[in-house]
């Protein structure tokens, strides 16, 4: 058995297992872990410095999960935008393809909390084949995002079978893997896995670091291996109360990500997902974080701040107000709050017509 499989097997799955190590009363948490599965593998557990810290909050069930009466189970209406099971087709040219129902850790704030690690997320060889058939039948799909659960919890063989299936569809230009494995179980990034993945370029990988303490020698090594195989690495963080709702923490996280060759891609406003209300921050706090990054650190380290619109509207970016007025004079505010004026140029009439046509495509 490989190291990562052993670590997974040694995961804590019951609150009672926390008592010996941390001295907490597990009783109030039993019910929570029954509603939403718990899995913390020994690697991620080892990152906890104290009860209630940012690592703990992401991994250990909390009574607050059952007290949430505000949020719906599927706010992004993924189920409504699924033409076949486990595939979400929301945008014109790309799809989200759920290929694994398991994760290396069950994050307490998960957007798919309603189904990951549970019985109502059924993924079989047959559902995957139906997904591949759907993608084949829609030549406008040029970008496929493998997600789940976590696609890197599949065996190398199963994942290779899916990637081969996708690469046999000529209209699929790029493949992306969305995975938290480099953060929560970096031992999974083995030389054999990486040798397999690099056969399927152009392949991108977006991972999900939320706190600087998640960047360790082991996770840096995993990301280095992937980057050495020519896989561009991006990061999608979620803004979480008590984890990273602090501009200084986020800045440090973005800088450290760059140092392990991961490019910050998105910071998400926390979705309105049932059982996660206690993690949500105000939207203003997210905008403040972007304001604290832009200009104050490498532009490479400034991701887009987005809200994934409830109801399935997709990701909508939010920016601090840098544009003060837009006319013949463009009045702009820089990162220090100082005003600057740019003299606008006229827009040719033909261009207007052409772009109006393009918008209708
Ligand atoms: C996030 C998402 C995508 C990808 O969006 P990008 O902005 O291209 O990264 C595609 N489909 C669904 C359903 C998504 O939620
Ligand atoms: S790894 Fe991703 S899909 Fe799995 S529980 Fe965490 S956030 Fe959810």
């Amino acid at each position: 058995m490989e190291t990562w499989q052993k670590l997974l097997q040694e995961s804590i799955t019951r609150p009672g297992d926390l008592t010996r190590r941390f001295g907490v009363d597990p009783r109030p948490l039993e019910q929570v872990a029954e509603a939403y599965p718990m899995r913390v593998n020994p690697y991620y557990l080892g990152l906890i410095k104290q009860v209630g810290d940012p690592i703990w909050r992401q991994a250990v069930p909390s009574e607050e999960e059952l007290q949430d009466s505000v949020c719906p189970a599927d706010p992004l209406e993924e189920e409504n935008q699924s033409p076949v099971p486990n595939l979400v087709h929301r945008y014109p040219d790309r799809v989200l393809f759920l290929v694994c129902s398991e994760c290396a850790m069950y994050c307490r704030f998960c957007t798919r909390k309603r189904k990951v690690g549970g019985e109502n997320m059924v993924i079989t060889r047959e559902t995957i084949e139906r997904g591949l058939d759907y993608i084949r039948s829609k030549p406008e799909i040029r970008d496929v995002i493998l997600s789940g659960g976590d696609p890197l919890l599949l065996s190398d063989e199963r994942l290779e079978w899916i990637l081969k299936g996708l690469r046999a569809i000529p209209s699929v230009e790029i493949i992306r893997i969305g995975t938290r494995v480099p953060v929560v179980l970096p031992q999974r990034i083995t030389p054999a896995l990486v040798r397999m993945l690099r056969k399927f370029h152009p392949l991108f990988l977006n991972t999900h670091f939320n706190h600087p303490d998640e960047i360790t020698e082991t996770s840096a090594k995993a990301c280095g291996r992937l980057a050495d195989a020519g896989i561009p690495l991006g990061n999608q963080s979620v803004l979480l109360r008590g984890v990273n709702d602090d501009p200084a923490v986020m800045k440090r996280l973005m800088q450290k990500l760059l140092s392990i060759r991961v490019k910050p891609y998105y910071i998400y406003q926390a979705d309105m997902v049932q059982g996660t209300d206690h993690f949500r921050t105000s939207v203003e706090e997210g905008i403040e974080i972007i304001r604290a990054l832009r200009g104050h650190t490498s532009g490479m380290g400034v991701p887009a701040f987005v809200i994934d619109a409830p109801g399935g509207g997709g990701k909508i970016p939010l920016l601090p107000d840098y544009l003060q007025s837009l006319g013949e004079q463009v009045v702009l505010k820089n990162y220090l709050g100082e005003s600057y004026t740019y003299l606008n140029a006229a827009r040719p009439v033909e261009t207007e017509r052409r772009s109006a046509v393009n918008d209708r495509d």
Side-chain angles (χ1 to χ4, degrees):
M1 198 185 281
E2 296 198 57
T3 312
W4 69 271
Q5 289 165 320
K6 227 172 128 218
L7 283 167
L8 211 53
Q9 212 173 49
E10 291 166 3
S11 294
I12 283 185
T13 56
R14 286 166 320 187
D17 300 332
L18 294 164
T19 314
R20 189 169 41 90
R21 189 154 172 170
F22 298 100
V24 293
D25 177 5
R27 279 167 303 179
L29 304 182
E30 306 283 358
Q31 217 189 334
V32 186
E34 238 157 74
Y36 303 113
M38 167 184 189
R39 175 187 267 177
V40 196
N41 69 64
Y43 167 77
Y44 198 77
L45 193 74
L47 302 184
I48 295 174
K49 292 179 186 152
Q50 61 186 60
V51 173
D53 74 8
I55 304 294
W56 174 281
R57 279 178 66 77
Q58 294 184 69
V60 178
S62 148
E63 286 173 83
E64 291 164 301
E65 291 175 46
L66 299 180
Q67 290 155 9
D68 172 6
S69 58
V70 190
C71 299
D74 178 21
L76 307 182
E77 298 202 5
E78 292 188 326
E79 310 297 343
N80 281 346
Q81 295 175 331
S82 280
V84 295
N86 305 317
L87 185 141
V88 188
H89 194 177
R90 171 174 300 153
Y91 292 109
D93 67 342
R94 54 208 190 280
V95 292
L96 187 71
F97 191 11
L98 312 184
V99 294
C100 182
S101 61
E102 264 189 86
C103 299
M105 170 176 94
Y106 292 115
C107 311
R108 306 323 298 174
F109 54 84
C110 180
T111 289
R112 302 202 184 94
K113 204 172 168 100
R114 68 185 183 282
K115 56 189 210 172
V116 294
E119 281 142 23
N120 48 2
M121 191 173 193
V122 183
I123 294 174
T124 61
R125 202 181 165 90
E126 204 239 317
T127 65
I128 291 174
E129 273 168 354
R130 280 184 70 189
L132 290 170
D133 288 343
Y134 178 81
I135 295 166
R136 200 177 299 112
S137 74
K138 302 271 178 201
E140 65 270 29
I141 299 171
R142 41 161 291 288
D143 175 5
V144 176
I145 301 147
L146 298 181
S147 180
D150 200 312
L152 293 190
L153 276 211
L154 297 173
S155 67
D156 292 5
E157 294 70 31
R158 172 56 78 104
L159 189 58
E160 182 163 15
W161 170 71
I162 297 169
L163 291 168
K164 270 193 181 140
L166 287 172
R167 274 287 166 244
I169 304 172
S171 42
V172 173
E173 292 174 7
I174 65 170
I175 301 173
R176 303 192 236 174
I177 295 179
T179 173
R180 226 189 155 198
V181 150
V183 186
V184 295
L185 188 61
Q187 295 82 357
R188 169 67 183 105
I189 310 297
T190 60
L193 174 71
V194 170
R195 270 198 307 278
M196 184 275 281
L197 292 176
R198 68 184 307 164
K199 293 190 289 191
F200 298 95
H201 278 309
L203 181 77
F204 295 73
L205 188 147
N206 280 326
T207 189
H208 180 170
F209 286 90
N210 285 327
H211 191 276
D213 287 353
E214 294 174 331
I215 299 178
T216 64
E217 250 173 65
T218 319
S219 58
K221 191 170 147 205
C223 292
R225 262 188 194 157
L226 292 162
D228 284 346
I231 302 172
L233 302 177
N235 189 70
Q236 315 193 150
S237 296
V238 185
L239 176 54
L240 299 167
R241 174 76 69 223
V243 175
N244 56 18
D245 55 337
D246 173 345
V249 170
M250 276 292 197
K251 185 157 112 184
R252 192 69 205 118
L253 174 62
M254 301 301 129
Q255 292 167 336
K256 281 183 88 174
L257 284 169
L258 291 177
S259 77
I260 63 165
R261 299 153 79 188
V262 177
K263 163 89 182 71
Y265 178 44
Y266 283 140
I267 293 176
Y268 289 93
Q269 173 70 15
D271 289 328
M272 293 178 57
V273 173
Q274 196 168 82
T276 68
D277 194 39
H278 58 293
F279 280 115
R280 297 196 309 130
T281 65
S282 69
V283 172
E284 289 88 332
E285 287 166 87
I287 294 173
E288 278 314 310
I289 284 170
I290 298 301
R291 197 197 307 282
L293 292 172
R294 173 60 65 193
H296 297 276
T297 191
S298 317
M300 289 286 295
V302 185
F305 173 53
V306 296
I307 299 190
D308 215 338
K315 298 171 184 73
I316 301 174
L318 294 174
L319 268 181
D321 294 327
Y322 295 116
L323 187 59
Q324 303 209 285
S325 74
L326 179 58
E328 272 173 50
Q329 307 235 341
V330 184
V331 184
L332 302 155
K333 201 160 69 178
N334 80 352
Y335 74 105
L336 296 172
E338 302 158 345
S339 285
Y340 292 87
T341 302
Y342 176 87
L343 192 58
N344 213 351
R347 195 176 168 185
V349 179
E350 305 93 289
T351 314
E352 273 173 39
R353 215 180 300 126
R354 213 179 312 129
S355 66
V357 170
N358 284 344
D359 280 348
R360 245 178 278 131
D361 283 353

